[in-house]
Amino acid sequence: MAEHVAKKIAFIGLGGMGRGVVKNIALKGGDVTALDLDDEKVTEAEGFGAKRGSSPSEMAADCDVFAVCITTAEAVQDMALGANGVLDHMKKGAIFLDHTTVSVAHVEKMRSECELRGIRYCEGPMTRTPIHADRGEVNILFGGDEELLEELRPTFEFYAENIFHVGPAGHAIRLKLIHNFIAFANVAAFCEGFALAAHEGLDMSKVIGIISAAGGKSGMMDLYGEKTLKRDFTPYMSLANAQKDVRYYTEWLSSAGLPGFMADSVHQTYALASIMGHGEEGCTAVIKAYEDLTGVVARLEE
């Protein structure tokens, strides 16, 4: 492990992933100041040893790394470039670390805007779940030059198990969006299959057992398959966020001039489930859209 070099870190966003990231930085001796729209989450972070932030602009002026892990690319740009935007308060040479799953266009815009101000932009989308974040075991995908990665590595090692240098600037978000599209397409597929199996009266324990023992097995099935059939829709990854990520993927496909037959279908599936009121539940609540339309509930009998 690389020697930890002291950096003052400002961290915005204490949701599922951000909470665990800040917890591990603080408990392992890092200098981190945290802020979130939910004041109770900031109080919890203080309990881990983090400092309470006053405002994004004041935090930006007093840090070496300004990190964000919030909801959307649009929210990040509003914070960075909107009225009293944080980029105008950051020190030259400081790092804007973007852990949010954003769009390809966002990464290109933010890198350009940072360069104009003498700030270094780092795309660092994460994979895995809030459970891994709590344990300090996230995966970080980094796109950019080796020098910046090595400067940030001691910070990343507070909360990451794996740090992947996936290529030049722009490649990390591209790989993250491909990963998330495949993952959420898999969820949509097994939820549709579960709903049909329930409609036809199949034994759901055999359905999940046999699928998981053959070619239908997947990481998302392992994480969420049984939970779905036990009606556990805890939002480790919310349905609304899944829809957002697939939307960014479809926009990227379109801008690249490629067809997106699967992408459009998956996006519309999540959009429908969100419109039907399931957006704040876990991503597998997409099954409820099928159930709402068929009147059949897919569940494992106790």
Side-chain angles (χ1 to χ4, degrees):
M1 179 179 291
E3 181 182 354
H4 284 216
V5 177
K7 282 190 180 294
K8 295 185 71 172
I9 304 162
F11 201 99
I12 307 293
L14 298 172
M17 299 295 278
R19 173 194 174 276
V21 168
V22 168
K23 171 188 171 183
N24 279 281
I25 295 172
L27 291 179
K28 294 173 185 177
D31 183 349
V32 60
T33 301
L35 191 62
D36 189 274
L37 293 174
D38 184 341
D39 191 66
E40 290 184 6
K41 293 179 179 179
V42 183
T43 299
E44 182 185 28
E46 287 183 292
F48 299 139
K51 289 176 279 191
R52 174 181 289 268
S54 50
S55 70
S57 59
E58 290 185 18
M59 292 165 67
D62 189 39
C63 71
D64 303 307
V65 178
F66 187 90
V68 293
C69 188
I70 53 179
T71 52
T72 66
E74 293 81 1
V76 174
Q77 287 189 32
D78 184 59
M79 178 182 295
L81 303 170
N84 202 31
V86 298
L87 291 189
D88 290 332
H89 295 273
M90 292 176 67
K91 297 177 289 189
K92 289 190 183 301
I95 299 167
F96 188 100
L97 172 55
D98 207 341
H99 275 321
T100 307
T101 300
V102 292
S103 66
V104 171
H106 166 89
V107 166
E108 293 169 353
K109 180 176 179 62
M110 284 297 299
R111 180 169 290 105
S112 174
E113 294 288 347
C114 284
E115 286 178 358
L116 288 173
R117 296 165 173 81
I119 296 163
R120 293 175 291 168
Y121 179 78
C122 172
E123 55 169 329
M126 297 182 286
T127 62
R128 292 188 165 171
T129 70
I131 294 171
H132 295 96
D134 187 68
R135 297 197 298 245
E137 297 174 354
V138 303
N139 293 331
I140 294 175
L141 280 58
F142 174 87
D145 64 77
E146 188 73 30
E147 183 178 351
L148 179 58
L149 173 58
E150 291 310 309
E151 184 175 343
L152 281 168
R153 189 179 295 276
T155 297
F156 290 159
E157 286 177 341
F158 283 126
Y159 52 94
E161 180 175 22
N162 299 300
I163 304 163
F164 298 108
H165 189 183
V166 302
H171 281 206
I173 194 60
R174 285 170 167 82
L175 183 52
K176 175 63 188 294
L177 291 176
I178 290 169
H179 168 275
N180 280 19
F181 164 67
I182 292 171
F184 295 134
N186 183 259
V187 168
F190 73 64
C191 284
E192 183 173 309
F194 286 171
L196 178 59
H199 181 269
E200 296 297 301
L202 275 65
D203 181 332
M204 298 308 295
S205 65
K206 289 186 171 62
V207 169
I208 192 168
I210 291 170
I211 291 173
S212 295
K217 177 182 173 65
S218 70
M220 294 301 274
M221 177 78 80
D222 289 346
L223 281 171
Y224 297 122
E226 187 171 323
K227 288 181 182 293
T228 302
L229 295 178
K230 289 184 174 180
R231 315 305 292 174
D232 179 355
F233 300 107
T234 303
Y236 300 113
M237 165 59 78
S238 74
L239 191 151
N241 274 339
Q243 180 194 350
K244 177 262 298 185
D245 291 355
V246 178
R247 173 170 64 86
Y248 290 155
Y249 177 83
T250 61
E251 291 171 350
W252 171 34
L253 269 176
S254 178
S255 68
L258 297 178
F261 311 116
M262 287 284 293
D264 289 339
S265 178
V266 173
H267 178 244
Q268 290 305 315
T269 299
Y270 281 97
L272 174 63
S274 187
I275 289 169
M276 295 171 77
H278 307 302
E280 298 310 309
E281 298 178 82
C283 61
T284 63
V286 71
I287 197 172
K288 293 186 177 182
Y290 297 108
E291 294 172 343
D292 291 346
L293 295 171
T294 64
V296 176
V297 173
R299 67 169 68 248
L300 281 172
E301 299 299 331
E302 298 294 337

